[in-house]
Amino acid sequence: MKKLLLVLVVFLLLVGSSFAATLNLGMASEAVSLDPYYHNETATSSVLSNIFDTLIRFDADYNLVPGLATSWKALNDTTWEVKLRKGVTFHNGNPFNADDVIFSFDRVKNWERSGFKGKVTSIESFEKKDDYTVIFHTRGPYPLFPRKVTYVRILDKEFCADKSPELLGTSAMGTGPYSVVKWIKGASLTLASNQSYWAGVPEFEKVIFKTLSNDSTRVAAILSSEVDLINRVPVKDINRIKGSKNFIMKPGLRLIYLQMDHQREDSPYVTGKINPFADLRVRRAVNYAINENNIIKYLMNGFAKPAGQFQPNVVFGFDDNIKKVSYDPAKAKQLLTEAGYSDGFEVVLDAPNNRYINDEQIAQAIASDLAKVKIKVKVNAMPKSAYFPKVNSSDSSFNMLGWSNSDGDASSFLDACVHSYDPDKGYGRYNGGRYSNAEVDRLIEESDIMIDQEKRLILMKKAQKIALLDDQNIIPLHYQVDLYAYNNKITFKPRIDSHLYVFDMNKK
Amino acid sequence: MSQSQSNILKIENIEKIFQIKVSSFKSKNLYALNKVTLEVERGKTIAVVGESGCGKTTLGKVISGLYQAENGTIKFHDQDIAHKKPLQRGFLQKDIQMIFQDPYSSLNPRKKVRDILEQPLKIHTKLDKAERMAAIEKTCLDVGIDLSYLSRYPHQFSGGQRQRIAIARAIILNPELVIADEPISALDVSIQAQVLNLMMDLQEKLNLTYLFITHDISVVKHLSDYVAVMYLGEIVEYGTKEEIFSNPQHPYTKMLFAAVPDIDNPMISEKVLETGEIPSPIDLPVGCYFAGRCPLKDSDCEKEHPLLVDKGDRYKVRCIKV
Amino acid sequence: MKIFENEIVSEFFEDKLAVAGVFLFIAFIFCALFPALLSPQNPYDLEQLFLENSFKAPFGEFLLGSDEQGRDILSAIMYGLRISLYVGVASTILSVLIGLIAGLVSGYFGGIVDTIIMRIADIQLSFPAILVALIIMALWGQGVTKIVIAITIVNWVYYARTARGVVLSEKEKDYAQSAKALGMNSIGIMFKEILPNIMAPIIVIATVRIANAIILEATLSFLGLGVPITEPSLGSLIANGYQVLFSGYWWGSVFPGIVLMSLVISINLIGDRLRDVMNPRLKR
């Protein structure tokens, strides 16, 4: 009997201690793949940031800080020299050196399924100077080089040599603070700390990313202390959580906006033969007719920031002089009347129903706002797996999208969503509305090769001003706010890029 | 001969075989009718008698077209109808009508009397609505149905009234032949006579020919002109009523009549069945089918199957001992 | 083809519960037919929705509260009843039609036709109804017409099997034989003679299955595969409310749920009583 008690006590102690060293995270969505070049998506990047390092990385507030590189400098307009950290090893003990960097950049550029090709098109070539120095050559002057390097997670050349792409999708070998123990797709990803991490020993020995995609389940998990932290707290549940758990918000980088069909004369999901969105006055009227403050107040419980332009103020390229237009249905009606739509028109608004916070509800509210200026909107909400292929193939007249700025520079949105659709040059890849203005294109292309950051800022601001204010190419709604809840066992400070970087978290 | 001209129906060597499933893949033949030959004289009543299971109802159904015979012919208006379904018989079918035993089930419970009576007219005549109604009313008078009954449902009537309705349906097309399958056996004794009398009156009035299927000997005595006694799917004795009743020859016929002790209890009683076993219609014996129960039986009876011998004067019998 | 003789009607109303069921059901039908007359708001008309009215608690300005879009729950229930009842009744009528024809043909002709139809029915019955409906809706997508067809595909089997069983005994009865001997064709015998006699059990089953169809629609809508929220049925209202049920806004699910429950109970009361009063007649 005594023995049994002893066993029980030891067991409880073990459980207790292992619990203390384990961090359980309740995630709204899981990584698509553990291959760091497969898909550029926040949930995947968030997980992988714990396993892999990059040469240069962002700190919590979007400042560039050294990672596996100790320093970097431009030798001339098109050549960058990067010095590498010495004494770093991968999780399997292999030493990290310039060969791994060359291998990684080669793979991210040339692997046919790489989802990051677009991020490194301007990096033309790279070569090993010595074991710890790499020279990069860019296609023309490339001021964004250090920011773009943050996308490329460094792989172990030897480890990858004999692995198929499928195997690399489920096994990861990096230099990061945590290594992969077990991945049960759809359920959980277990990580163990890297005791020889170059920046110090991580505080938590074990980290479990649990996939809890159902909002109610995720909230229940934090309330019952099944997990220590959850992301994407449903705005409706904030009051329930506030009482017992810590709750923190961080203004995010994701812009939610409406995109309209600019190009077609006869748009597929609009009644009538003429596309009303081709008329600037209609696009402006829609902007005036949406009561964004109400959407934020009632649908988002206050947890969103009204968006008046393409990016929030932490992003380089933000323009202080652009203010969000205020809600003015009378003005909207007047503009519609001038455009010949005093009786309105009918249109389908495509929206996802499982991608952005309250996406379908926001679309419904927009439909009811527009109904008040006689634009009859039918909301067609669908899961993201069906939605994005539809919108990206321009099979839509009116849709709701989100854009998360992931490198802190306005160029990402300008290049992908504002510039005319031009697949050859790699521009306008997500410009589904096919907005096109030669002057805007010229400004964007010029800013992309401008080394002088002051002049770049002027060019980018000018491009945004023409596209947004003169042409109303899109209708910005709001920036999402990241909402987290966590218990008292940890200290936590959210990052601007929404990544859950466990190395920065601490036990309390 | 005048006899053949006055024959309305000429049945020759009719065979009806049912397939009985003995397992999922095997079936056996059940011989319900074995080479039945019978002539029905116009304007007369022929009674078909026998125990239940002797094939008398099957015979009625073959004639009315509910069953199709495998072999043999049934000549009606010089056409062979033995293998034709009612639908294929066309206008011939108009002249063959049937009265069923149970008036509770032979009238559609969801139809009004008017609709029930109108149905034959709709199928076999081109009368318009008013003419049909006139025909219905005339028939109602003939069979004694009050016109107010027309908009009622069958379940609102007594058995006797229902059988009158069934009779009305059978005669409304002015048929030549009416097959009556035990038309009164389901009725109260007090009603039976009324219905029989009605049928006889109608026969006279409309010059009907009856094929009367029954096991009620007193009914046979009452209204038939000819009697055909059936046993195990074949006719064993045939003759005029007087002949059969005054001098039954076949041992089976004798046994049938003997089982009717008095007029108050005229049904063929269960006692008949007690004397010996009826052979299975699936495995018929080589010799006389009745041999097993026959008091006159000897070894010859089991050797060869006896033929129905025409003794002249419209009398036939199937027994080697006679 | 008269089914309700006076005695049945009077016998039916002897049961007080059944009478209550009838009144409740009539009230629901009335709401569903004339929601515009009774409801404070038209939940389909986006011009009448204001976000300022988001999540108003019940028993105030909105009798049964409002949802996040400012949609009045009471109005949404009335309009939702319409969709739910429409789906229930339309799918039942369709499945009765299909089931009756399949059952009649199968029972009357027998043989290979019977084998094929009944094997299809057996196979379908071996899957849970909700699974069959889910697969169909997943393939076709949302929509009122689609859900009616999906429920019809699920439900016709029950009528077909019942009809077949009754036809097997009815076709041997003398009235059917008599019609056959008269030279009536098969279609006539099936539809004019036999059909009226199998309606009683079919009607009893249909009442029960209407309730079943309404629940099936609600389940599918609850799972997000039924009708879209812009045309709310009771099921999609419950689903919509469920998303915020645990956040304290209980009224969005609870009130449509109560109405769904009452509707199903009222139909079942009627169905039970119908079965009671119609059955003795079948035995006779």
Side-chain angles (χ1 to χ4, degrees), chain A residues 218-245:
Chain A
R218 201 163 61 255
V219 170
I222 183 72
L223 287 177
S224 66
S225 293
E226 183 194 333
V227 295
D228 301 307
L229 178 149
I230 61 168
N231 67 352
R232 292 191 46 188
V233 179
V235 292
K236 296 282 175 298
D237 291 319
I238 282 161
N239 291 336
R240 289 170 72 206
I241 284 169
K242 265 183 177 168
S244 56
K245 304 288 167 188

Side-chain angles (χ1 to χ4, degrees), chain C residues 8-195:
Chain C
I8 290 192
V9 175
S10 58
E11 202 181 333
F12 182 93
F13 282 103
E14 278 167 23
D15 185 57
K16 289 204 175 70
L17 268 177
V19 175
V22 168
F23 278 109
L24 199 56
F25 188 64
I26 288 174
F28 284 135
I29 293 273
F30 190 75
C31 287
L33 286 179
F34 310 106
L37 289 182
L38 299 163
S39 67
Q41 189 194 59
N42 178 355
Y44 292 99
D45 184 3
L46 295 174
E47 282 189 59
Q48 295 185 29
L49 302 185
F50 294 92
L51 276 184
E52 286 86 343
N53 296 327
S54 185
F55 289 126
K56 286 274 174 5
F59 312 120
E61 185 187 344
F62 293 87
L63 186 61
L64 300 184
S66 68
D67 74 0
E68 69 206 340
Q69 301 286 341
R71 193 180 281 123
D72 176 39
I73 298 287
L74 176 63
S75 309
I77 287 174
M78 288 180 180
Y79 280 82
L81 261 176
R82 183 196 196 112
I83 303 271
S84 290
L85 273 170
Y86 169 75
V87 169
V89 172
S91 64
T92 301
I93 289 175
L94 265 182
S95 31
V96 165
L97 279 180
I98 295 170
L100 271 181
I101 292 171
L104 274 171
V105 168
S106 185
Y108 187 82
F109 291 113
I112 187 80
V113 183
D114 181 35
T115 310
I116 290 172
I117 293 177
M118 284 303 123
R119 283 308 146 262
I120 293 173
D122 285 347
I123 290 167
Q124 200 182 311
L125 278 178
S126 64
F127 292 99
I130 181 73
L131 183 66
V132 176
L134 271 176
I135 292 169
I136 295 167
M137 293 310 287
L139 288 176
W140 291 350
Q142 291 187 326
V144 175
T145 315
K146 289 169 188 165
I147 205 167
V148 167
I149 296 171
I151 295 177
T152 302
I153 290 175
V154 169
N155 274 353
W156 73 274
V157 185
Y158 298 94
Y159 304 106
R161 284 170 72 101
T162 308
R164 174 180 175 270
V166 185
V167 168
L168 281 182
S169 69
E170 290 292 320
K171 76 167 177 182
E172 294 303 332
K173 288 196 179 161
D174 286 344
Y175 74 85
Q177 295 290 309
S178 143
K180 193 176 170 188
L182 260 177
M184 198 179 226
N185 60 29
S186 303
I187 305 271
I189 296 172
M190 278 195 281
F191 290 96
K192 288 187 185 155
E193 298 291 324
I194 296 178
L195 180 64

Side-chain angles (χ1 to χ4, degrees), chain A residues 216 236-237 239-240 291 294-295 298-299 301 360-362 364-365 367-369 371-372 374 376-377 379 381, chain C residues 45-55 68-69 71 142 229-231 240 242-244 246-249:
Chain A
S216 309
K236 296 282 175 298
D237 291 319
N239 291 336
R240 289 170 72 206
N291 190 345
N294 264 4
I295 291 176
Y298 295 105
L299 291 185
N301 237 359
E360 187 177 355
Q361 289 89 326
I362 293 167
Q364 302 271 354
S368 111
D369 277 346
K372 278 131 205 161
K374 302 282 181 227
K376 286 189 185 58
V377 177
V379 175
Chain C
D45 184 3
L46 295 174
E47 282 189 59
Q48 295 185 29
L49 302 185
F50 294 92
L51 276 184
E52 286 86 343
N53 296 327
S54 185
F55 289 126
E68 69 206 340
Q69 301 286 341
R71 193 180 281 123
Q142 291 187 326
I229 183 61
T230 43
E231 304 164 65
N240 199 39
Y242 176 74
Q243 292 170 2
V244 293
F246 294 113
S247 311
Y249 311 111

Side-chain angles (χ1 to χ4, degrees), chain A residues 131-329:
Chain A
D131 269 359
Y132 294 100
T133 313
V134 179
I135 305 291
F136 290 89
H137 299 282
T138 62
R139 184 182 296 160
Y142 195 45
L144 286 172
F145 174 77
R147 289 181 185 277
K148 297 294 180 190
V149 166
T150 64
Y151 286 111
V152 184
R153 304 182 195 284
I154 303 300
L155 294 164
D156 179 9
K157 185 183 176 186
E158 283 100 302
F159 177 79
C160 298
D162 56 347
K163 304 273 189 303
S164 67
E166 285 71 30
L167 196 56
L168 288 178
T170 54
S171 57
M173 188 54 63
T175 57
Y178 288 92
S179 60
V180 177
V181 176
K182 192 169 64 177
W183 188 27
I184 306 166
K185 216 166 174 355
S188 67
L189 172 70
T190 307
L191 303 181
S193 63
N194 175 3
Q195 294 296 320
S196 52
Y197 188 51
W198 55 267
V201 178
E203 197 148 341
F204 295 99
E205 284 161 21
K206 204 167 141 195
V207 178
I208 303 174
F209 287 86
K210 291 185 176 170
T211 310
L212 303 171
S213 50
N214 181 288
D215 282 352
S216 309
T217 316
R218 201 163 61 255
V219 170
I222 183 72
L223 287 177
S224 66
S225 293
E226 183 194 333
V227 295
D228 301 307
L229 178 149
I230 61 168
N231 67 352
R232 292 191 46 188
V233 179
V235 292
K236 296 282 175 298
D237 291 319
I238 282 161
N239 291 336
R240 289 170 72 206
I241 284 169
K242 265 183 177 168
S244 56
K245 304 288 167 188
N246 301 303
F247 169 75
I248 192 164
M249 61 175 274
K250 177 96 178 171
L253 293 166
R254 176 164 281 128
L255 167 74
I256 304 295
Y257 66 99
L258 296 176
Q259 180 176 263
M260 298 151 292
D261 183 359
H262 288 258
Q263 188 193 33
R264 281 169 288 202
E265 278 180 23
D266 180 7
S267 201
Y269 300 98
V270 184
T271 53
K273 286 275 168 230
I274 297 158
N275 175 9
F277 293 125
D279 191 318
L280 172 64
R281 290 167 294 192
V282 173
R283 301 198 295 271
R284 282 199 171 137
V286 172
N287 195 20
Y288 280 115
I290 294 170
N291 190 345
E292 182 56 41
N293 286 338
N294 264 4
I295 291 176
I296 293 172
K297 184 174 173 192
Y298 295 105
L299 291 185
M300 310 298 280
N301 237 359
F303 293 103
K305 301 282 175 217
Q309 55 183 295
F310 299 156
Q311 55 275 314
N313 56 7
V314 290
V315 173
F316 184 71
F318 179 81
D319 191 340
D320 287 319
N321 296 320
I322 299 180
K323 298 280 178 247
K324 184 167 178 65
V325 298
S326 47
Y327 174 57
D328 191 347

Side-chain angles (χ1 to χ4, degrees), chain B residues 64-214:
Chain B
S64 69
L66 290 175
Y67 293 152
Q68 281 71 53
E70 271 70 32
N71 297 304
T73 56
I74 299 174
K75 282 272 172 64
F76 182 70
H77 285 288
D78 289 331
Q79 291 200 35
D80 181 12
I81 57 170
H83 315 288
K84 290 180 175 168
K85 294 178 177 175
L87 210 55
Q88 298 164 323
R89 293 180 180 179
F91 65 91
L92 285 178
Q93 189 68 7
K94 167 181 170 298
D95 286 326
I96 302 175
Q97 293 298 324
M98 202 158 171
I99 299 169
F100 291 85
Q101 174 176 11
D102 180 6
Y104 288 89
S105 79
S106 72
L107 301 176
N108 193 330
R110 296 291 179 203
K111 285 191 158 185
K112 287 178 185 167
V113 174
R114 180 182 291 114
D115 299 326
I116 290 170
L117 296 183
E118 193 178 6
Q119 191 184 50
L121 297 170
K122 274 184 171 170
I123 294 173
H124 285 292
T125 72
K126 292 195 170 108
L127 300 179
D128 64 23
K129 180 92 185 164
E131 288 168 329
R132 289 201 298 266
M133 288 307 133
I136 290 170
E137 283 172 21
K138 182 195 162 287
T139 307
C140 284
L141 290 178
D142 286 346
V143 299
I145 301 174
D146 195 300
L147 291 182
S148 66
Y149 292 0
L150 285 176
S151 30
R152 295 195 193 165
Y153 287 91
H155 74 262
Q156 292 169 293
F157 296 102
S158 68
Q161 286 169 317
R162 287 192 204 196
Q163 202 58 303
R164 280 175 196 268
I165 297 166
I167 291 168
R169 174 174 61 185
I171 63 158
I172 197 164
L173 288 170
N174 260 324
E176 297 178 357
L177 176 67
V178 171
I179 300 158
D181 187 356
E182 313 246 19
I184 58 164
S185 63
L187 305 179
D188 284 352
V189 180
S190 56
I191 310 290
Q192 289 183 347
Q194 288 180 21
V195 173
L196 276 186
N197 288 336
L198 171 68
M199 288 182 75
M200 290 168 80
D201 290 347
L202 289 171
Q203 182 171 36
E204 212 158 284
K205 208 166 175 180
L206 303 170
N207 192 27
L208 297 172
T209 307
Y210 285 135
L211 186 100
F212 209 97
I213 297 163
T214 184

